[in-house]
Amino acid sequence: MALGADLDFAELVLKLRKHYPVTLECAIPCPNQTLIWNNTDKLRYKSILKRANEIYLVSERYTPECMLKRNRHMVDKSDIVIAVFNGIEKGGTWYTVNYAKKTNKIIEVINLYNGDK
């Protein structure tokens, strides 16, 4: 439920749900995740949450590790991990892909990296 690909995929699942037996579980790192988001993004986020099948709150308050805990939760609950990744070997997506590898998940990467490292 982060800005970008997370919200895009959440909306895609909501559309697919009309025709396929899929569900949307939203993993929220902390209640004030949207604190600095603009109003348009906040409204989009709230709209998705209202239509979710399940909402999982990782932490009752922000902590330095709540985002990574959220990512581990998503991997642990998944059979297949789809990662939108820019190839930069640091940050949340990189951490999560590595965690998925360690837990022997099937991983599909949508590669946003163009060029040599």
Side-chain angles (χ1 to χ4, degrees), residues 74-113:
M74 291 188 299
V75 169
D76 293 341
K77 294 274 303 209
S78 299
D79 295 320
I80 299 170
V81 174
I82 301 171
V84 178
F85 187 48
N86 61 7
I88 297 173
E89 294 181 350
K90 65 179 181 178
T93 304
W94 178 74
Y95 170 88
T96 304
V97 168
N98 282 316
Y99 178 74
K101 288 177 184 176
K102 290 176 187 174
T103 59
N104 296 313
K105 298 292 181 171
I106 298 167
I107 304 167
E108 293 292 332
V109 175
I110 299 171
N111 189 346
L112 297 182
Y113 179 70

Side-chain angles (χ1 to χ4, degrees), residues 38-108:
N38 68 46
N39 286 337
T40 301
D41 291 331
K42 287 179 183 180
L43 289 172
R44 182 180 181 205
Y45 177 86
K46 288 177 185 177
S47 173
I48 293 168
L49 288 180
K50 284 180 186 175
R51 296 177 285 156
N53 297 89
E54 187 176 340
I55 299 171
Y56 175 76
L57 180 62
V58 172
S59 177
E60 291 295 329
R61 61 180 179 78
Y62 175 81
T63 65
E65 66 276 349
C66 70
M67 302 296 184
L68 297 179
K69 283 183 180 180
R70 178 219 33 214
N71 293 354
R72 287 192 302 269
H73 170 79
M74 291 188 299
V75 169
D76 293 341
K77 294 274 303 209
S78 299
D79 295 320
I80 299 170
V81 174
I82 301 171
V84 178
F85 187 48
N86 61 7
I88 297 173
E89 294 181 350
K90 65 179 181 178
T93 304
W94 178 74
Y95 170 88
T96 304
V97 168
N98 282 316
Y99 178 74
K101 288 177 184 176
K102 290 176 187 174
T103 59
N104 296 313
K105 298 292 181 171
I106 298 167
I107 304 167
E108 293 292 332

Side-chain angles (χ1 to χ4, degrees), residues 22-39:
V22 295
T23 59
L24 177 64
E25 178 182 338
C26 298
I28 309 299
C30 58
N32 63 346
Q33 171 177 301
T34 64
L35 187 66
I36 62 171
W37 293 11
N38 68 46
N39 286 337

